[in-house]
Amino acid sequence: MPKQEGIPPQIPNRAPMPTYCNPINIDYGYCPIPNFCEQGKHRATADPVILTFQGDYFLFSTNQGGYWHSPDMLNWTFVRRSFLRPEHDTYDDLCAPTAWVMNDALYVIGSTYTDTFPIWMSRNPEANEWEEATPAFNLGGWDPAFFLDDDGRLYFYHGSGNTHPIFGFEVDPSTFEMIGSRKPLISLDDAKHGWERFGEHYDNVFLRPFIEGAWMDKHNGRYYLQYGAPGTEFSGYADGVYVGDSPLGPFEYQRHNPLSLKLGGFARGAGHGASFLSLSKRWFHVSTIAISVKNNFERRIGIWPAGFDADGVMYCDTAYGDYPRDVLTGEFKGWMLLNYAKPVSASSWMAAYPPNLAVNEDIRTYWSAETGNEGEWLQSDLGSVCQVYAVQVNFADQDASLTGKIDGVCHQYEVLGSIDGCSWFSLVDKRENEKDVPHDYVELDAPVEARFVKIVNKKVPTGKFALSGFRVFGLSMDSKPKQVQNFVVLRGESEPRSAWLKWRQSDDATGYTVYYGIAPDKLYTAVTVYSASELFLQTLNSDEDYWFAIEAFNEAGIGPRTEPDKAMLQPVSEPSINYID
């Protein structure tokens, strides 16, 4: 289909608003665990920490051979830096790192159980100027976290495994020696906490769940100790939180848990992360997205808005968490996905990777062209003329041959739009792009009317031209869906950690968002469901009552949410059946 020059039909009078879309678009390294590439080389990182320093954001994550900084959380610049010494015979360069600000300097260290790893410090990290704050932190642990309290006292937390708890102790901020003794703080209780059960479907059939990724925040004089569970391989990977009046406890399990959960949608998982205050003093939570196809540790990074409500409950908003969001507030922009499961065509494809896998809202599957050559293309039919606001291009790793962080690699492509499928105009022109953009997200300068959207390859860093998600965002001209009818919550006493939710299929809906929480005004957890009218939810706390609500969405927007309704635990002989009209 040749491109014809044309003027895109724009819709005027919209002030530009900076947005982002998860997974975040950074140049993830290839094969950070070198011996885990038997099923194909792939990009990955996890266990992120973001903090602000000297007016910039700094992002550290597992085994990237460096770190990123950004002035706005949109445009990230990678700084190549090894934090290993020559005598360190390991690839774990800043595995599950921690970072904190103290004495007008930025400090960082990765996971270690040896006594030879230093704590590094920098007063100019943007320029890659580092020195050793201490030559050997001999109190180290896996998945470390340092927390500097308001009074200048420093605390250390660590723990990663399915047999031991999260530990903590105080550290001298000058010598980095232990003050007092190491103290066990929190452990998993999967017999009560459904989301802590191990397995993709929380079946807990062969391993105990894993606790990991400690992180501490303070708010209004209280201490919020966060942790990840039940395992990084699963879409139910999430972060929880305990709350106490002291940095070393005792801690009480927060009734609203998990803190961050991202079960449905394109990018799933929100575990082993860290919370941070943005430069505009808003809370965000950064954590790990699971892919786990070429390897269990194939992962990405997502950022979601977070905060504390008037009752001191810590929460994280992952509803529509892989749709465009305002980078300043984290709020969902209301731009809908326009091409979920819509007709697609392509220049070519490999038998196991057909074109429909680029529009099925699953980052774990992908379309792959037969080659990585210039001219390979994928076209998506939106079904009707829509207002296109943004495009996200998620590249997949098919037959990649690279390892580590590679300088000079880039993605070059063009996205075209059309009203009739014959005359085409340019929406996004990255044919001269020189950046590595594996999850490229582009907000258009102004909305454009189009029915057909097509991406044409010019160059990929390695392997085939392959897409796990070619995602077009905007609004259709149709009506929003009506309120969902006959919403039913089934929750019995025999297994109170689980609930079965059903509702009447809506002819005008593309999908549904289920909300639940510990009170009608605390429906902080959301699950996205596409093309279904039921959800088997296994993430509940057995000793807690819950309220549920649901809303339908389509390409035109979101329909009215049902009123929250309480699903009480009922005896086995009297199962709970609540109709929510």
Side-chain angles (χ1 to χ4, degrees), residues 483-487 502-506 562 580-581:
Q483 190 174 67
V484 177
Q485 301 296 309
N486 301 118
F487 182 38
K502 292 181 67 67
W503 54 90
R504 183 190 299 175
Q505 186 82 31
S506 302
T562 61
I580 306 172
D581 296 325

Side-chain angles (χ1 to χ4, degrees), residues 208-220:
R208 299 295 302 158
F210 288 75
I211 189 170
E212 55 179 304
W215 186 259
M216 176 64 81
D217 285 299
K218 186 178 184 180
H219 177 72
N220 284 349

Side-chain angles (χ1 to χ4, degrees), residues 262-315:
K262 180 70 172 61
L263 277 177
F266 175 68
R268 306 171 191 180
H272 192 145
S275 302
F276 64 97
L277 271 173
S278 71
L279 292 172
S280 58
K281 302 305 178 185
R282 293 178 180 267
W283 283 98
F284 285 84
H285 189 75
V286 58
S287 50
T288 305
I289 292 169
I291 299 179
S292 304
V293 173
K294 290 185 169 62
N295 181 266
N296 282 352
F297 299 99
E298 182 183 9
R299 299 163 292 180
R300 299 292 193 270
I301 293 174
I303 300 174
W304 296 275
F308 302 84
D309 69 15
D311 298 315
V313 175
M314 190 178 189
Y315 63 89

